[in-house]
Amino acid sequence: MANLNIRIREAELADLELIVDFISQKSDFDGSKNLLTATADKLQQTLFCQPPLVRVLLAEVAGEAVGFAMFYASYSSLLTQPCLWLDDLFVQAPMRGMGIGTALLKYLAQIAESTNCGRMEWTVNTGNAPGIAFYEKQGARILENIMVCRIEGSAIAQLAKK
């Protein structure tokens, strides 16, 4: 692991295009580019509304952004505590394995701890063996008895009309 000076900071309004670019890069990595509809305008409406619906951290090395984490608050009725949901974590390929992902997760853990979160959660693609290994190394348990359920697009409208 390289000894880099990694700076983690909250995204600002001027970062909108950069964040959309990171989302695009992550969609390529995930093989879901065909699902990408993110735009700077749409992101601005959710990232910089009051209160923000989502937050973004940027990881910088030598003043250049090389990774990001997008997250928001969730809640556990079982714990009766807030939780932190990590929606995206992405580090550009040439910078992987240098501690940037770890720095982002550590910063998220500090946020979770300071806001009394009972847990941090996220999903990882079952085919992403390096990602799974990375998360396990950070102390994450990969839950095999829980499956993601998703209703999207026109199915939401259909369900709403039932």
Side-chain angles (χ1 to χ4, degrees), residues 1 6 21 25 48 57 62:
M1 184 184 314
I6 303 166
D21 184 53
Q25 290 177 54
F48 295 105
L57 300 176

Side-chain angles (χ1 to χ4, degrees), residues 11 19 31-32 40 54 62 64 73 111 128 131 150 155:
I19 298 165
S32 56
V54 64
E64 183 177 336
I111 291 170
N128 184 358
R150 179 180 292 167

Side-chain angles (χ1 to χ4, degrees), residues 72-85 115-121:
Y72 54 88
S74 63
Y75 189 81
S76 168
S77 60
L78 296 175
L79 300 175
T80 58
Q81 281 182 272
C83 300
L84 186 147
W85 182 268
T115 55
N116 192 36
C117 288
R119 62 180 169 225
M120 293 171 46
E121 294 181 302

Side-chain angles (χ1 to χ4, degrees), residues 64-99:
E64 183 177 336
V66 297
F68 85 112
M70 182 176 282
F71 66 102
Y72 54 88
S74 63
Y75 189 81
S76 168
S77 60
L78 296 175
L79 300 175
T80 58
Q81 281 182 272
C83 300
L84 186 147
W85 182 268
L86 174 59
D87 194 58
D88 284 326
L89 178 75
F90 178 78
V91 175
Q92 292 174 323
M95 302 304 291
R96 292 182 191 141
M98 298 186 183

